[in-house]
């Protein structure tokens, strides 16, 4: 699936799912809590977008300390957890950020993400996503979830989004 650069030109915010997008879907139990692996490259892409004026949001169905710590460490402005039905959080995000779906990109990988992928200007997914998501996404990343997929989308937004240099 080819990247349609025109879908990125008005993007001012990137909204992300966690499990399967910022992680590779695997979790392990350390005896106290469930833990996940995160990509440093994804974090660099997120930070670079924020430094360029873009807003970042995370909407996740999970509630976990490692996710809260990662969001805090990256300085992500908008965070919604425990949201299996993500639409109420997505509506709240629009109110809090002052942005419309036409100014947002979303990356998700499972059926809970479909309404947001369909609502935004640019909806992306990862190669391991469920078939239903693959059918509605505008773009499927080359890199897998948790291993650079978010960085790939960040780099495209950085290059072609609303705050891209040369605009």
């Amino acid at each position: 699936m080819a990247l349609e650069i025109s879908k990125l030109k008005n993007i001012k915010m990137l909204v992300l799912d966690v499990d399967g997008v910022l992680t590779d879907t695997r979790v392990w139990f350390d005896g106290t809590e469930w833990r996940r692996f995160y990509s440093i490259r994804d974090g660099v892409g997120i930070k670079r977008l924020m430094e360029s004026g873009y807003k970042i949001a995370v909407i996740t169905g999970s509630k976990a300390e490692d996710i809260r710590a990662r969001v805090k460490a990256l300085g992500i402005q908008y965070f919604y957890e425990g949201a299996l039905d993500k639409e109420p959080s997505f509506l709240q995000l629009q109110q809090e950020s002052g942005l419309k779906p036409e100014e947002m990109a979303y990356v998700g990988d499972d059926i809970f993400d479909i309404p947001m992928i369909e609502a935004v200007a640019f909806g992306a997914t990862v190669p391991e996503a469920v078939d239903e998501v693959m059918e509605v996404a505008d773009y499927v990343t080359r890199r897998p979830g948790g291993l650079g997929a978010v960085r790939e989308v960040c780099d495209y937004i950085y290059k072609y989004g609303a705050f891209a240099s040369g605009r």
Side-chain angles (χ1 to χ4, degrees):
M1 175 177 302
L3 175 69
E4 289 184 54
I5 293 169
S6 63
K7 290 187 176 239
L8 297 169
K9 67 179 179 160
N10 296 317
I11 300 300
K12 296 178 181 175
M13 173 181 272
L14 176 60
V15 186
L16 301 166
D17 176 33
V18 174
D19 293 318
V21 172
L22 281 170
T23 76
D24 64 4
T25 73
R26 295 182 299 162
V27 294
W28 83 93
F29 192 67
D30 71 1
T32 307
E33 291 188 52
W34 292 101
R35 304 282 183 182
R36 295 155 182 81
F37 286 105
Y38 299 92
S39 166
I40 294 298
R41 287 192 180 124
D42 288 346
V44 170
I46 289 168
K47 287 287 222 180
R48 186 164 87 157
L49 280 185
M50 289 190 300
E51 290 167 0
S52 298
Y54 295 92
K55 295 179 180 183
I56 306 292
V58 167
I59 302 175
T60 178
S62 297
K63 267 187 130 171
E65 183 55 39
D66 69 315
I67 297 171
R68 288 188 289 277
R70 183 68 174 151
V71 166
K72 183 178 179 184
L74 291 172
I76 292 173
Q77 302 99 318
Y78 304 95
F79 177 56
Y80 308 89
E81 62 181 336
L84 285 178
D85 176 1
K86 296 182 178 187
E87 290 183 86
S89 296
F90 186 64
L91 292 171
Q92 184 178 347
L93 172 62
Q94 291 170 57
Q95 291 177 335
E96 291 176 358
S97 70
L99 296 175
K100 300 177 186 108
E102 305 84 56
E103 300 171 297
M104 298 178 181
Y106 186 93
V107 186
D109 71 317
D110 214 328
I111 56 173
F112 311 108
D113 301 305
I114 291 173
M116 281 63 60
I117 289 172
E118 292 179 327
V120 298
F122 181 76
T125 193
V126 296
E128 316 78 36
V130 298
D131 291 342
E132 295 91 339
V133 172
M134 296 282 238
E135 291 171 9
V136 299
D138 296 310
Y139 181 73
V140 179
T141 62
R142 291 184 314 264
R143 296 198 180 266
L147 295 170
V150 169
R151 175 63 179 269
E152 185 178 331
V153 173
C154 287
D155 287 351
Y156 285 134
I157 293 170
Y158 182 80
K159 190 171 181 181
Y160 303 113
F163 305 125
S165 59
R167 290 196 128 194

